[in-house]
Amino acid sequence: MPSHSNSDVDYPHLMPPDPTERLQSFVQLITQHQSALRAYIVTLLPGSPSVADVLQETNMVLWKKRESLREDSEFLNWAFTVARYEVMHHRDRLRRDGRVVFSNQMIELLADEEAQSAASNSRDVSMDALDDCIAKLSRKEQELIEFRYTPGKSLEQYADHTGASASSLRIALMRIRRNLKLCVESKIALGTR
Amino acid sequence: MKREDLESRILELLDGNASVERAAELEQILRSDPQARSVYRTLSRLHSALGARYEGKAEVETIFPARFQRSTPSTSRWLLGGSIAAAAVLMIAFLMFRKGPAVSDAVAYRLSPGAVCEVSYANGSKASHGDNLSNGAQVNLLGGSFECSLRNGAHLVIEGPAEFYLQDQNHLVLERGVGWFQIPQTAKGFSVSTNELEVIDQGSEFGVLSLSKGPDQVHVLSGKVALTTRIGSRTSEVLTAGQVRVVNHDGTLLPLPPNPGRFRSTLPGEMPYLYFNFDKVDRTGKIQVEGNLPGANVIQAHLIGDDPTSRLVPGAVGNAISFGEGEGAWIDTNWSGFNGNTPRSAAFWFKFEKDAQKTGLVPAAIAWGDPDNHFNRKWKVWFPRDSGDGELHACISFGGDRFYDSHVLDDGHWHHLAAIYTGKTHEDGLPDCSLYLDGELCKLEHQFGAGGKPYTNTVDTLTGGPGDGPLRMGYGITPDLPKFEGMLDEIYIYQGVIDEKIINSLRAAGPPVGGD
């Protein structure tokens, strides 16, 4: 005997075989790819204070539209598409506010290249590799990185704390991050992380 | 440019410290040099990973529905930053619509029979039943329909389950549910927003579907509205009578065929219900299904078993079905049942002869949903024997949580039972339900089901999936399970909460307590 269907959701039509398992799988997908999505947004909106907002809005759309996802393997490309639209919207707002933004063409170029490398394992910074590389820094260097990236802390606070000038700390920070980049790349290349 | 200088310029940009001129120079370099872009992407990923790492540990108890979380999420630290964002999405989506209470402009509202509605305000106060609705009201319509006319003449009917927020007399946020809106000239400019779209009236009658399992839709029934999507490309369009749009995942709008009958513009006079009448069961076992529940006319019920007509016995009212005769029988339907935490009531007559149903496994009188006892995903009204006193009692089971009445019921007499679930949850997390036996409210004892304490108390009756059973009555006839050894009559299933007046009217046609 036929079941009673809900015609409100016949377009687009996608009824998962097992709703509970499907939603568990979707939650896992969205959690697993948060770092990739965040990195994608940072790449397209460098220096923007809106990264968290854009990520939240992207997540909201992905959650709301989760029934549109046809195959788990398409998740990242689909999520990047949604994120790209959110980035473009925020970019317009940032530009109106006088902030530095990439041109549309630059964003499209970067977005295309990120999408092409979406399937590659090498695209993500391994957290374990990063942890190992941070552990190799001196205590002061670790403190500096922590002050730079911890919400609520700043280089200026660290400068006050240590007596160093903010400009010298910025130079030191540049060096530390270049070294971290080299360290992470070498670990990935060696397959050690 | 030297590699070191390029990296410094990139980090300057990522830190937000680049001037417009320096950023433009860097962009020129990146656009023309793929290797420079590769360096840029590597540094931006590092920069992002550092940001996520130091955003700190936070509660990963997300507001993704708890039932979908794994028991031991394997989030590593660098995911937590994103998980915080992911976890906060729905809460932020909810909170972003919240404003402080505006100037009060209280209006009366009405609910359909059996509707369950909770109204609260940002300051934490809750409205009592019968109170007027003020600006800033957050309404959780668990079931039924809600109708209201605002001060400016805007008239609306919302069908539950729904959640909506009356920001002020000119703006309503429909977080979930189906709404119909009729806007007179005096209220022109009235707007409705959902997570995905905003509709601004321009002298119209329109309907909005804010769906949790599909994209949002707008149907214009008369007049004109301005529609803008709130996601992706932020598309805008003016719609006129007969036009329907659905929001695409990228924020564009797609047309749909008109469906003018979809929206309810008045409250239903009766609570939606189904009625299974056993007075006429034909030789094929087909059972008459009546009622005003939408779709009742296509619901089919069949008595599965040998010689259906032989099972008709004198009932509480007209004929009843005796399920335990011979090899046993049960009733199958094609109706999936009420899902989620939709308020519901089941009322029926039953009779058990002494010592009936003396088996370890007991089939249900009425049940639908997912049988897994580790969750509250089913609705089951049944009569198990107590393992302690050996007596037969009535029970409501959601799967993990069960509620037993203490009356002994295998006395050979007809009794009337009403099992009710309001859709609400008590402060201790247990579902709010009640049983009325022969018109009297029972004192229920809570126990856990066969699976022990459920992974979550949340009631989420699952329907329509491959493992979810439709409505069945007297079900348990498998090679391994025994038959239902009782009689059932006059089965009513309501989409809503029935009160004592309805229960007494259902009992009125039957025998008195202790009668045959």
Side-chain angles (χ1 to χ4, degrees):
Chain A
M1 287 185 268
S3 355
H4 190 55
S5 68
N6 180 355
S7 59
D8 284 341
V9 295
D10 279 348
Y11 180 87
H13 176 68
L14 260 183
M15 284 306 294
D18 181 330
T20 306
E21 251 185 57
R22 189 77 185 101
L23 279 165
Q24 283 178 338
S25 172
F26 189 85
V27 170
Q28 188 177 14
L29 279 172
I30 209 169
T31 307
Q32 277 174 347
H33 291 99
Q34 277 301 285
S35 59
L37 269 174
R38 190 184 192 284
Y40 180 83
I41 294 166
V42 167
T43 299
L44 302 187
L45 287 176
S48 166
S50 307
V51 169
D53 291 340
V54 176
L55 181 58
Q56 286 166 0
E57 291 186 12
T58 301
N59 284 329
M60 187 160 66
V61 175
L62 294 175
W63 178 253
K64 186 77 178 169
K65 299 295 184 188
R66 60 191 182 275
E67 301 287 349
S68 312
L69 182 64
R70 288 164 178 73
E71 297 284 341
D72 288 2
S73 57
E74 293 177 359
F75 178 86
L76 199 53
N77 272 325
W78 172 64
F80 279 178
T81 303
V82 171
R84 183 193 292 203
Y85 280 109
E86 296 302 322
V87 162
M88 297 304 275
H89 177 71
H90 271 265
R91 179 195 165 277
D92 293 340
R93 190 187 300 167
L94 289 169
R95 191 173 53 170
R96 274 201 308 271
D97 293 344
R99 299 190 76 95
V100 168
V101 295
F102 278 148
S103 65
N104 281 348
Q105 294 83 357
M106 187 68 200
I107 289 178
E108 294 291 342
L109 179 58
L110 289 170
D112 286 342
E113 288 180 346
E114 287 293 283
Q116 282 166 20
S117 71
S120 164
N121 287 335
S122 65
R123 65 177 321 287
D124 287 333
V125 172
S126 157
M127 190 57 182
D128 290 332
L130 186 59
D131 283 348
D132 286 350
C133 293
I134 288 175
K136 287 182 160 62
L137 299 175
S138 70
R139 187 175 59 82
K140 284 192 177 174
E141 288 173 336
Q142 290 180 24
E143 276 180 8
L144 183 54
I145 284 282
E146 183 181 333
F147 265 81
R148 165 59 185 86
Y149 283 98
T150 301
K153 294 185 179 178
S154 67
L155 282 187
E156 285 70 26
Q157 283 177 345
Y158 192 72
D160 288 342
H161 179 65
T162 60
S165 68
S167 60
S168 67
L169 290 177
R170 281 193 199 94
I171 294 169
L173 189 62
M174 295 272 187
R175 177 179 51 77
I176 293 167
R177 288 184 292 184
R178 284 201 299 271
N179 289 341
L180 280 175
K181 171 179 165 291
L182 283 171
C183 176
V184 170
E185 281 176 333
S186 68
K187 281 190 174 292
I188 292 171
L190 289 170
T192 53
R193 279 296 198 177
Chain B
M1 181 183 279
K2 283 188 196 168
R3 176 75 165 239
E4 194 175 301
D5 291 336
L6 173 65
E7 290 176 342
S8 295
R9 293 284 287 268
I10 289 171
L11 289 168
E12 179 189 50
L13 180 69
L14 290 169
D15 284 338
N17 294 331
S19 65
V20 170
E21 295 73 25
R22 282 175 71 82
E25 281 174 19
L26 180 59
E27 178 172 328
Q28 280 300 319
I29 296 168
L30 295 176
R31 283 174 74 175
S32 59
D33 185 351
Q35 268 202 321
R37 286 201 300 279
S38 176
V39 173
Y40 171 75
R41 291 205 310 271
T42 302
L43 281 171
S44 70
R45 288 175 201 159
L46 173 70
H47 182 71
S48 176
L50 286 166
R53 186 183 191 275
Y54 288 99
E55 273 168 20
K57 295 183 185 354
E59 292 295 321
V60 188
E61 185 63 29
T62 77
I63 60 155
F64 285 140
R67 63 189 178 280
F68 300 121
Q69 292 184 49
R70 297 193 179 281
S71 55
T72 54
S74 58
T75 45
S76 58
R77 275 176 297 151
W78 75 317
L79 290 175
L80 279 176
S83 291
I84 295 166
V89 160
L90 289 178
M91 182 62 76
I92 287 171
F94 178 88
L95 291 174
M96 67 194 284
F97 297 127
R98 297 295 293 269
K99 304 247 165 121
V103 173
S104 175
D105 216 344
V107 291
Y109 64 93
R110 295 193 307 129
L111 298 174
S112 60
V116 181
C117 182
E118 297 172 318
V119 180
S120 59
Y121 294 88
N123 60 6
S125 63
K126 292 186 190 299
S128 301
H129 181 66
D131 284 354
N132 286 344
L133 198 76
S134 298
N135 293 344
Q138 179 70 41
V139 182
N140 185 8
L141 183 62
L142 290 142
S145 300
F146 172 106
E147 181 188 25
C148 181
S149 286
L150 302 178
R151 293 271 182 215
N152 53 15
H155 190 66
L156 54 104
V157 175
I158 311 283
E159 295 171 57
E163 289 179 73
F164 59 95
Y165 169 64
L166 183 67
Q167 182 173 306
D168 55 47
Q169 300 293 296
N170 289 309
H171 185 61
L172 181 139
V173 179
L174 185 63
E175 292 153 16
R176 180 172 66 105
V178 178
W180 169 85
F181 304 88
Q182 186 176 54
I183 313 301
Q185 282 297 318
T186 50
K188 193 172 175 182
F190 180 86
S191 61
V192 176
S193 54
T194 72
N195 285 334
E196 296 175 10
L197 55 82
E198 182 169 20
V199 185
I200 301 176
D201 159 77
Q202 296 185 350
S204 63
E205 179 186 351
F206 61 93
V208 178
L209 288 97
S210 178
L211 303 175
S212 56
K213 287 192 176 179
D216 296 347
Q217 301 174 25
V218 171
H219 298 232
V220 181
L221 304 168
S222 72
K224 196 163 59 170
V225 304
L227 171 61
T228 303
T229 61
R230 303 184 72 228
I231 59 170
S233 59
R234 308 293 199 278
T235 303
S236 293
E237 195 175 342
V238 172
L239 304 184
T240 54
Q243 291 189 299
V244 179
R245 294 290 183 267
V246 61
V247 183
N248 202 8
H249 68 84
D250 59 359
T252 55
L253 290 164
L254 299 171
L256 283 181
N259 187 1
R262 176 60 187 84
F263 301 93
R264 186 181 286 284
S265 58
T266 56
L267 292 183
E270 279 183 298
M271 200 183 317
Y273 71 96
L274 291 174
Y275 167 47
F276 297 86
N277 180 345
F278 303 140
D279 291 344
K280 294 174 192 171
V281 178
D282 68 19
R283 280 176 303 166
T284 67
K286 184 174 175 182
I287 289 170
Q288 199 167 349
V289 181
E290 298 170 43
N292 64 0
L293 186 72
N297 57 325
V298 297
I299 294 174
Q300 298 172 37
H302 281 82
L303 183 62
I304 311 294
D306 53 301
D307 194 10
T309 54
S310 72
R311 300 184 172 281
L312 294 180
V313 297
V317 181
N319 286 334
I321 289 184
S322 176
F323 289 80
E325 297 289 328
E327 294 296 314
W330 50 284
I331 296 175
D332 193 20
T333 79
N334 65 343
W335 182 60
S336 53
F338 300 122
N339 65 0
N341 64 338
T342 302
R344 64 201 71 155
S345 309
F348 56 92
W349 291 92
F350 69 91
K351 181 177 176 182
F352 289 99
E353 299 298 344
K354 188 97 176 97
D355 294 336
Q357 213 70 70
K358 277 208 161 175
T359 53
L361 295 171
V362 178
I366 290 170
W368 67 78
D370 177 352
D372 189 336
N373 286 323
H374 296 93
F375 299 91
N376 285 334
R377 293 181 183 161
K378 67 180 164 192
W379 169 253
K380 178 173 164 183
V381 184
W382 60 317
F383 299 93
R385 280 202 178 271
D386 188 287
S387 57
D389 63 17
E391 303 290 357
L392 190 132
H393 303 289
C395 176
I396 295 175
S397 172
F398 294 90
D401 289 308
R402 298 180 177 181
F403 300 85
Y404 292 82
D405 172 53
S406 60
H407 293 87
V408 175
L409 298 174
D410 54 335
D411 57 3
H413 297 301
W414 283 103
H415 295 281
H416 188 264
L417 191 75
I420 298 162
Y421 168 57
T422 68
K424 297 182 188 179
T425 304
H426 291 292
E427 280 188 15
D428 58 7
L430 293 180
D432 180 27
C433 61
S434 51
L435 275 177
Y436 284 79
L437 179 67
D438 297 323
E440 297 291 326
L441 180 64
C442 301
K443 186 169 162 38
L444 299 179
E445 179 192 338
H446 170 262
Q447 291 181 24
F448 293 127
K453 187 171 186 228
Y455 295 149
T456 168
N457 290 116
T458 304
V459 173
D460 183 25
T461 310
L462 294 186
T463 61
D468 308 328
L471 167 65
R472 292 185 176 122
M473 293 168 255
Y475 188 55
I477 304 300
T478 72
D480 303 322
L481 290 177
K483 54 192 176 183
F484 183 78
E485 292 182 9
M487 293 169 236
L488 297 177
D489 196 11
E490 298 291 293
I491 297 179
Y492 285 83
I493 297 178
Y494 290 88
Q495 186 179 19
V497 173
I498 57 175
D499 56 19
E500 289 179 7
K501 189 174 165 190
I502 294 177
I503 293 171
N504 289 332
S505 73
L506 292 174
R507 288 182 54 234
V513 177
D516 289 332

